[in-house]
Amino acid sequence: MCRGGSCIINPSGHYLTKPVWDKETIIYAELDMNLSAACKMEHDAIGYYARPDVLELKVNEK
C-alpha cells in the first residue's frame, strides 16, 4: 500500500530533496537554520494556538 520513501522537507513544508524510492542511499541537503525560527513565528503551536481564551473549537455532532 505505502512503499515508504525518504526525503528532506523544510519547516514550511517544501521539499529540499526529491523523495527516494526503492533503494538505499544517503540524502544530503543544505539547511537554512534561520528558516526554522521564521516558520515557528508563523505557526506557534505552543503559543497563540494553545490559548483557550483566544481559540476555541466547537463540534456540532448533529
Side-chain angles (χ1 to χ4, degrees):
M1 294 200 162
C2 181
R3 61 183 201 199
S6 297
C7 64
I8 300 174
I9 299 174
N10 72 11
S12 56
H14 298 100
Y15 285 102
L16 292 179
T17 64
K18 293 182 179 178
V20 176
W21 306 95
D22 303 323
K23 69 178 180 177
E24 252 185 64
T25 188
I26 297 174
I27 302 171
Y28 295 95
E30 191 169 322
L31 305 178
D32 180 358
M33 300 309 282
N34 294 320
L35 185 59
S36 157
C39 288
K40 183 175 177 169
M41 290 174 64
E42 287 180 23
H43 181 77
D44 186 8
I46 59 172
Y48 179 83
Y49 295 98
R51 292 183 51 197
D53 60 319
V54 178
L55 183 69
E56 181 180 356
L57 174 66
K58 292 185 179 184
V59 178
N60 184 351
E61 296 182 6
K62 289 184 183 178

